[in-house]
Amino acid sequence: QKHSKEPYKTVSTSLEALKKQFDQKPPFKLIPYVEASNYHYKMSSAQKSLYVLSQIKAAEDANADGWYVWSPGNVYDSLFK
């Protein structure tokens, strides 16, 4: 539940921890998956949109090579709002 409440911090911390394992830039493209909706906890449509956007911003701020969006139920409406 903690990570669901802090989507930016969760993605940012994870990417930075991975990058620190290499002396320089990782020898591969760093393209994280962004979770389109948290199916463990109920969220309003606005909350889902902020949840997705926070993760995307974290990936971009961490200079990732892009990002993929994943939804376990194949529902991507929060991405396009």
Side-chain angles (χ1 to χ4, degrees):
Q1 191 171 13
K2 173 187 170 192
H3 299 295
S4 298
K5 290 182 180 181
E6 300 177 328
Y8 181 94
K9 184 177 178 184
T10 299
V11 172
S12 178
T13 302
S14 298
L15 292 173
E16 292 304 323
L18 177 65
K19 288 172 25 177
K20 284 181 183 177
Q21 295 180 37
F22 300 92
D23 292 333
Q24 299 196 2
K25 188 175 178 179
F28 49 82
K29 290 194 181 268
L30 187 58
I31 306 173
Y33 278 89
V34 169
E35 188 177 45
S37 64
N38 188 312
Y39 59 92
H40 290 293
Y41 306 102
K42 297 284 184 193
M43 293 183 185
S44 69
S45 180
Q47 289 172 315
K48 285 180 186 177
S49 292
L50 286 175
Y51 183 75
V52 172
L53 288 174
S54 293
Q55 294 174 87
I56 291 170
K57 178 150 178 47
E60 291 178 351
D61 288 351
N63 294 317
D65 296 303
W67 40 266
Y68 294 107
V69 178
W70 171 76
S71 170
N74 207 25
V75 178
Y76 295 95
D77 58 331
S78 59
L79 177 64
F80 297 104
K81 289 185 180 182

